[in-house]
Amino acid sequence: MSKPVDVVIVGAGVAGLVAAREILRRGREVVVLEARDRVGGRLLTEELCDGVTIEMGGQWVGPGQHRVLALIEELGLSTFPTHTSGRHILELGNSRSTYTGRIPLFNPVAMADVGSAQWALRRAARKIPLDAPWTARGGDRLDGQTFATWLDRRLNTNGGQAIMRMATEAIFAAGPQDISALWALFYIHAAGGLDALINVAGGAQQDRIVGGSQRIALTIAEELADRIVLEKPITDIDWTSGDVVLYTAAGTTHRARRVIVAIPPPLAARIRFKPALPTDRDQLVQRMPMGRVIKINVGYPEPFWRADGLSGQANSGSRPLGTVFDNTPPTGSPGVLVGFLEARHADFASKLSPQERRSTVLDDLVAYFGESAANPIAYLERDWAAEEYTRGCYGAFAAPMALTRFGPALRTPIGPLHWAGTETATAWAGYIDGAIQSGQRSADEVTRALSRAQ
Ligand SMILES: Cc1cc2nc3c(=O)[nH]c(=O)nc-3n(C[C@H](O)[C@H](O)[C@H](O)COP(=O)(O)OP(=O)(O)OC[C@H]3O[C@@H](n4cnc5c(N)ncnc54)[C@H](O)[C@@H]3O)c2cc1C
């Protein structure tokens, strides 16, 4: 059994690391136990080709994400803008259009339909209380339907439906049929609106972090040094009496006065608690699955699409690789396109062999950007659903009736056990910014509880 500490944190993602840093600053002893052999969780930078690194997990930050922008500055990191100049590509059904700016010049009837649905979304989302969406007026009705049902009632054209389905898959990595309408509206409000979620300039995809987003985690980890212990997956947490005892799959045992579980809800559901957690908590985490994404970065000698007047941004309602951006490093070389196989497309693509998947991805890039896309110099993919300690992404979402029946169990501490992770945030839930908020909130809770106990 290792030396007892004030707080053990389960998970060295951004949420756990931020919580540890805050707790340490307040003079408490803290240890972070991480399952993987690295820190960062859903933030991961890998080598794409010789000396060139690229983000394989979360990567963008944007205006309105005050916490992550402040943390980037505090840690001495910097950002650079996502490349956006040139024409973007939109494919729907058999039609393809290119456009600049934010609004595609596509079927005006469908665009008007989408415009009025977005107006309704804005109004409805604004009414959802961010700290307690389950108390929303009419919350039962919203939570008793999927986001698809909610959208269907407000969309009158096939084109409008295809666009909103595409947007939903890009934002949630799940289909509108999967998600509770109440969760979707909460999530949109928590980000400050749908535009903030989908836009590059002025939105969540505006900027990248020089050297990759995992530097946030790596820099905090340097500060915390040997307070982080890697390769220690927590399997059991015993909070029967007094101190909490944590058991790892590595055979080690750890003791603390308080514990912050900073992992996604479906992973927290796999830990065995003794005594068992109150049933509301257990029922909630049974109803919060992860979305599903395979992220792919493809390298070329240069960003050839720019010479053709294209931005590298492409969206399609039917191609597996439905979302693509220019992900070239700030030096301008090599050229990199990042694509996402999301939701049903990830279901399909995960069943292919690696060679078949690569062909599918390259075929789609050729269809968007021409024959030059057929011959990459580098290809890197990551199926986040296949990661034992993530099991999907971008984040977890709530299925119908999860929030109104069990929502308060999302954050409410249970005895000495506290909950963090981006899914518990009230602003930018699902994003790096939300993970930071949850780390700060759980650190506040824990230090207050420890002070009260003295
Ligand atoms: C492909 C992809 C693209 C994304 N794009 C963006 C983006 O552009 N912008 C943005 O803001 N966000 C993005 N996100 C989401 C963002 O990465 C996450 O919201 C954020 O990193 C979550 O941090 P977290 O600390 O809450 O959780 P995690 O990062 O999941 O951290 C949890 C940690 O706990 C560990 N763990 C799990 N189980 C155990 C256990 N039993 N014992 C011990 N440790 C355990 C895990 O290994 C992990 O390190 C993206 C995510 C992915 C995967």
Side-chain angles (χ1 to χ4, degrees):
M1 168 105 56
S2 46
K3 192 172 121 249
V5 289
D6 292 319
V7 186
V8 161
I9 295 173
V10 181
V14 176
L17 293 170
V18 165
R21 190 169 185 249
E22 294 288 330
I23 291 166
L24 193 62
R25 282 177 171 181
R26 296 173 203 185
R28 300 290 181 178
E29 251 326 309
V30 60
V31 166
V32 185
L33 298 175
E34 165 57 46
R36 288 179 162 102
D37 61 359
R38 63 171 182 85
V39 299
R42 280 172 269 178
L43 302 186
L44 172 64
T45 307
E46 286 191 295
E47 185 163 321
L48 177 66
C49 50
D50 280 352
V52 178
T53 55
I54 203 77
E55 307 94 328
M56 293 307 295
Q59 63 171 64
W60 287 290
V61 296
Q65 299 182 346
H66 308 298
R67 291 171 197 83
V68 68
L69 296 176
L71 185 61
I72 287 168
E73 198 178 327
E74 196 187 330
L75 297 175
L77 305 176
S78 54
T79 61
F80 66 100
T82 305
H83 178 84
T84 52
S85 55
R87 282 171 292 120
H88 318 311
I89 298 166
L90 176 66
E91 284 188 358
L92 278 175
N94 295 326
S95 75
R96 169 189 169 113
S97 63
T98 61
Y99 65 101
T100 52
R102 289 179 186 166
I103 315 284
L105 291 172
F106 170 79
N107 179 342
V109 181
M111 290 316 291
D113 196 22
V114 169
S116 82
Q118 285 192 355
W119 180 82
L121 254 182
R122 242 190 314 275
R123 268 173 54 104
R126 270 205 299 256
K127 293 182 187 152
I128 309 298
L130 291 177
D131 55 350
W134 43 90
T135 63
R137 223 166 132 214
D140 274 357
R141 197 173 25 81
L142 287 171
D143 211 20
Q145 60 187 299
T146 66
F147 191 38
T149 305
W150 193 93
L151 286 172
D152 281 353
R153 292 201 178 119
R154 283 150 188 95
L155 288 161
N156 299 307
T157 62
N158 290 339
Q161 282 182 341
I163 290 176
M164 290 309 293
R165 176 181 177 142
M166 202 169 65
T168 306
E169 288 174 347
I171 294 168
F172 295 93
Q177 302 89 335
D178 295 319
I179 308 167
S180 144
L182 181 61
W183 176 264
L185 294 173
F186 153 75
Y187 196 89
I188 290 167
H189 188 195
L194 191 65
D195 288 343
L197 285 166
I198 57 181
N199 286 342
V200 178
Q205 283 70 234
Q206 180 173 286
D207 296 303
R208 294 165 61 196
I209 297 167
V210 177
S213 53
Q214 197 187 358
R215 287 189 69 196
I216 296 177
L218 294 168
T219 312
I220 300 179
E222 274 172 32
E223 282 178 29
L224 295 172
D226 57 7
R227 292 181 180 86
I228 302 174
V229 192
L230 300 176
E231 299 182 272
K232 295 284 179 286
I234 300 299
T235 56
D236 294 73
I237 298 181
D238 185 334
W239 56 291
T240 311
S241 60
D243 285 356
V244 185
V245 183
L246 299 99
Y247 300 89
T248 75
T252 57
T253 309
H254 306 259
R255 188 179 279 273
R257 294 168 67 198
R258 296 255 149 190
V259 168
I260 298 175
V261 180
I263 65 181
L267 292 176
R270 290 167 201 253
I271 295 177
R272 195 164 36 203
F273 290 88
K274 190 177 163 197
L277 297 180
T279 46
D280 272 15
R281 167 77 198 178
D282 195 66
Q283 290 277 314
L284 176 72
V285 292
Q286 291 183 46
R287 288 166 172 76
M288 291 194 70
M290 300 297 275
R292 189 167 196 190
V293 175
I294 303 173
K295 179 171 179 176
I296 300 123
N297 276 291
V298 188
Y300 297 94
E302 58 194 44
F304 63 87
W305 51 94
R306 294 184 187 176
D308 297 334
L310 297 173
S311 66
Q313 189 179 322
N315 292 94
S316 167
S318 49
R319 290 190 187 286
L321 201 70
T323 309
V324 180
F325 292 93
D326 183 321
N327 219 24
T328 301
T331 54
S333 167
V336 183
L337 290 170
V338 61
F340 299 89
L341 294 158
E342 287 155 336
R344 67 199 151 112
H345 302 303
D347 298 343
F348 151 76
S350 67
K351 294 176 185 70
L352 302 176
S353 70
Q355 292 77 5
E356 288 168 334
R357 197 161 44 245
R358 182 184 157 115
S359 297
T360 302
V361 167
L362 294 184
D363 285 353
D364 281 355
L365 291 177
V366 167
Y368 289 134
F369 303 110
E371 275 306 319
S372 309
N375 300 304
I377 55 169
Y379 179 98
L380 208 55
E381 63 171 26
R382 185 155 294 253
D383 179 353
W384 283 91
E387 294 275 316
E388 184 175 7
Y389 296 113
T390 302
R391 296 195 186 252
C393 70
Y394 307 105
F397 60 88
M401 296 313 287
L403 285 182
T404 43
R405 292 180 65 196
F406 311 113
L410 186 59
R411 275 187 303 275
T412 309
I414 299 169
L417 310 175
H418 300 255
W419 313 103
T422 190
E423 285 79 8
T424 68
T426 58
W428 287 101
Y431 285 74
I432 305 168
D433 197 78
I436 296 169
Q437 189 214 42
S438 78
Q440 292 167 340
R441 188 253 317 140
S442 60
D444 284 347
E445 279 174 15
V446 159
T447 45
R448 267 200 313 270
L450 288 171
S451 305
R452 272 200 308 270
Q454 273 176 345

